Amino acid sequence: MSYSDYFNPEVETLSVEGLKALQLERLQKTVRHCMNSPFYQKKFQELGITPEDIKTLDDVQKLPFTSKEDLRENYPFGLACVPMKDCVRLHSSSGTTGNPTVVLHTQKDLEEWANAVARCLWMVGSRPEDVFQNSAGYGMFTAGLGFQYGAEKVGMLTVPAAAGNTIRQIKFIKDFGTSVLHAIPSYASRIYEVMKEEGVDPRKDTKLRVLCIGAEPHSEEQRQRIEQNLGVKAYNSYGISEMMGPGVAFECQEQNGLHIWEDYFIVEIIDPVTLKPVPDGELGELVLTIINREAMPLLRYRTRDLTRILPGECPCGRHHKRLARLQGRSDDMMILKGVNIFPIQIEKILLGFKELSTDYLITLETVDSNDIMTIEVEISQMFTDDYSRLKALEREITRQLKDEILITPRVKLVPKGSLVVSDEKKAVRVKDLRKLF
Ligand code: COA
Ligand code: ZN
């Protein structure tokens, strides 16, 4: 490997000892900085600890966990560690029924985020000569602006195409010579299907060579199929908005797990029930402490993502730990069309309609290369069988749900008693029948 193979050679090739020393220094600084937030002051008091108790990296285990609920309960700015005048951007999750989560950034935070994404994009072979197209949603979705700033930092010509409008997306790929594309796996499949319909051969008619995929769980076979169909190398990306967004971990060209940037994060894998660390290499919940954040550093954030640390050295020369591809969640969050959705968000909206009973069933499936969500919900006994009133009600439920979860579900009203929603007395509310092509 030559130095030009790295975006930040010094830190990417830092030895394990070097990384640990840097982590300890940044952890101690971060913990002291956290004392600017009443939220962490209180947590530290409850645990009877002070920043001075953090003397070694293992002492991270003395720190309190932070959860999504903590962010919600302290909505919107309760975890800020800098004055509001120093913050330049926020990103927020979907949802209005409960408090969404809000993540604040200073100018330096945005700079560090762009740097992390640039490092990832460089690692998979993107260079200033490339044309980068981003099919993520912009606005509040962190994969929009997150990839945008990272790709610009690499120096690529960027095409901020944003989500949807697949035919136009393909035209851009062809006309602008897009060589690096970011798309979630199911949307990469959709692009391929529409290319086939339009008579576009991705190998002959486009310059596509690198695909960054993430956000949705997928298998190695699915990755390989995407690679064969589009004639690209597809690299797995991991991001989480509470940490910043994309750029947290990414595969290198070895495609053998995702390097997580340890100069940004301290990584723990815990048992989600006992909250104790699991032995090295075992599956558990990923817990992250971000150690270079100003506006809103989070200590021991419970990501709810299940993964494990892969053992051994990576031939690419980076000593940053590698995560196995994600294997699900320790909560009931669903990911559809790259959007994170909790069943409770849907339930809360449905409960607002007195015409509905409490039984519903959510089905996720792939129809004509599109992922869709169908929500069947029982109407209450007394409600009408007037067709036009039922359709109007369906439309209103759909509208409210779209506002809440940002995707458009298909809502089907069904007669009372027609849904089978219990399995061994435990309600089964979600059926996931999706497949990648
Ligand atoms: N990325 C890009 N395009 C997507 C997509 C995704 N994750 N999911 C769906 N689409 C496409 C659909 O294929 C459809 O394309 P078409 O115009 O060629 O028909 C179009 O977006 C609209 O999708 P549809 O399913 O009809 O509408 P919706 O109201 O349910 O979807 C989206 C809303 C697509 C706008 C919403 O799902 C979205 O913004 N997703 C992107 C989320 C994202 O970027 N997350 C981060 C990923 S790392
Ligand atoms: Zn590597």
Side-chain angles (χ1 to χ4, degrees):
M1 286 267 168
S2 81
Y3 254 37
S4 63
D5 292 322
Y6 307 101
F7 187 74
N8 293 137
E10 297 77 15
V11 73
E12 285 179 61
T13 59
L14 203 57
S15 65
V16 172
E17 294 68 38
L19 276 172
K20 283 188 173 163
L22 184 61
Q23 282 187 319
L24 180 58
E25 181 197 318
R26 289 187 170 181
L27 175 66
Q28 289 173 325
K29 192 171 162 207
T30 298
V31 167
R32 285 195 300 273
H33 182 52
C34 281
M35 292 303 103
N36 289 317
S37 100
F39 168 79
Y40 278 120
Q41 280 171 17
K42 188 160 163 267
K43 285 241 178 191
F44 273 53
Q45 259 168 18
E46 281 165 10
L47 289 173
I49 55 167
T50 67
E52 286 62 47
D53 290 319
I54 306 305
K55 296 193 171 67
T56 68
L57 271 185
D58 287 341
D59 289 338
V60 77
Q61 289 179 33
K62 294 180 179 165
L63 297 172
F65 286 108
T66 310
S67 66
K68 200 181 255 298
E69 289 66 44
D70 291 326
L71 267 65
R72 287 193 178 125
E73 282 164 17
N74 293 279
Y75 175 87
F77 304 140
L79 272 79
C81 286
V82 297
M84 272 310 126
K85 72 170 177 41
D86 294 343
C87 297
V88 296
R89 191 183 320 151
L90 67 76
H91 282 275
S92 170
S93 65
S94 70
T96 50
T97 52
N99 284 335
T101 54
V102 169
V103 178
L104 294 161
H105 300 272
T106 63
Q107 194 66 55
K108 177 171 173 291
D109 292 336
L110 294 183
E111 189 60 27
E112 293 281 8
W113 180 12
N115 194 40
V117 175
R119 211 190 265 184
C120 299
L121 291 170
W122 193 277
M123 182 162 71
V124 297
S126 319
R127 294 294 180 271
E129 300 75 38
D130 279 301
V131 178
F132 176 84
Q133 186 165 325
N134 190 6
S135 72
Y138 275 63
M140 287 296 179
F141 290 110
T142 52
L145 291 177
F147 271 107
Q148 181 66 29
Y149 282 69
E152 286 175 6
K153 204 168 230 328
V154 168
M156 293 188 275
L157 172 63
T158 57
V159 184
N165 215 333
T166 313
I167 290 180
R168 193 179 65 139
Q169 201 89 241
I170 294 168
K171 183 172 167 56
F172 287 169
I173 293 174
K174 277 174 40 193
D175 294 357
F176 303 147
T178 300
S179 48
V180 183
L181 174 68
H182 169 250
I184 65 168
S186 61
Y187 194 57
S189 315
R190 166 95 182 132
I191 290 177
Y192 173 66
E193 290 301 325
V194 177
M195 277 185 175
K196 276 203 302 192
E197 284 164 23
E198 298 291 303
V200 175
D201 179 343
R203 288 167 192 271
K204 287 208 206 103
D205 304 329
T206 80
K207 293 193 175 141
L208 282 179
R209 60 181 189 85
V210 173
L211 182 67
C212 305
I213 49 175
E216 279 178 334
H218 60 279
S219 67
E220 185 53 33
E221 291 68 36
Q222 287 161 337
R223 181 237 294 269
Q224 285 174 9
R225 207 164 320 134
I226 292 175
E227 290 188 325
Q228 278 158 19
N229 287 340
L230 287 173
V232 295
K233 277 274 177 203
Y235 298 100
N236 213 339
S237 145
Y238 175 70
I240 170 165
S241 305
E242 291 86 335
M243 289 299 116
M244 54 194 186
V248 175
F250 224 88
E251 277 180 328
C252 67
Q253 294 186 38
E254 303 292 332
Q255 294 183 310
N256 59 1
L258 297 87
H259 286 287
I260 178 154
W261 300 122
E262 290 190 79
D263 54 324
Y264 283 56
F265 304 103
I266 293 178
V267 184
E268 295 171 84
I269 307 280
I270 63 160
D271 179 321
V273 178
T274 64
L275 305 185
K276 298 278 178 243
V278 301
D280 269 358
E282 273 189 24
L283 187 71
E285 182 184 316
L286 179 68
V287 169
L288 295 176
T289 299
I290 185 160
I291 50 175
N292 67 345
R293 179 79 130 339
E294 285 182 340
M296 217 179 107
L298 298 178
L299 303 177
R300 304 189 84 196
Y301 185 72
R302 293 194 56 191
T303 67
R304 298 291 190 163
D305 287 314
L306 299 176
T307 185
R308 64 195 173 90
I309 306 275
L310 295 174
E313 287 282 298
C314 184
C316 77
R318 295 175 183 86
H319 304 292
H320 299 254
K321 283 179 184 145
R322 283 170 301 132
L323 303 178
R325 65 175 65 241
L326 299 194
Q327 302 196 358
R329 302 268 309 167
S330 69
D331 62 10
D332 58 358
M333 189 182 91
M334 306 174 271
I335 306 173
L336 191 82
K337 305 181 196 185
V339 183
N340 299 342
I341 302 163
F342 289 93
I344 187 77
Q345 291 180 276
I346 294 170
E347 185 164 317
K348 278 186 176 168
I349 296 287
L350 297 178
L351 283 174
F353 288 88
K354 61 179 184 338
E355 300 90 338
L356 304 177
S357 92
T358 52
D359 281 333
Y360 66 93
L361 180 65
I362 302 168
T363 306
L364 310 177
E365 57 195 325
T366 309
V367 176
D368 298 334
S369 77
N370 268 318
D371 282 353
I372 57 167
M373 172 189 282
T374 304
I375 302 171
E376 292 168 276
V377 53
E378 293 186 355
I379 47 178
S380 55
Q381 220 110 42
M382 305 307 290
F383 192 56
T384 180
D385 54 5
D386 175 337
Y387 183 77
S388 62
R389 280 188 68 196
L390 286 171
K391 282 290 146 198
L393 178 62
E394 268 180 11
R395 276 198 302 277
E396 179 55 18
I397 299 170
T398 308
R399 192 190 63 75
Q400 289 195 22
L401 281 167
K402 162 98 187 177
D403 277 354
E404 175 67 27
I405 61 175
L406 307 182
I407 62 145
T408 317
R410 292 181 185 178
V411 174
K412 279 190 192 163
L413 298 179
V414 298
K416 175 113 189 88
S418 60
L419 288 177
V420 183
V421 288
S422 62
D423 177 23
E424 293 168 0
K425 297 205 180 92
K426 184 173 161 275
V428 178
R429 299 286 187 194
V430 183
K431 262 202 301 189
D432 193 346
L433 311 172
R434 276 175 295 178
K435 57 172 173 24
L436 284 175
F437 63 99

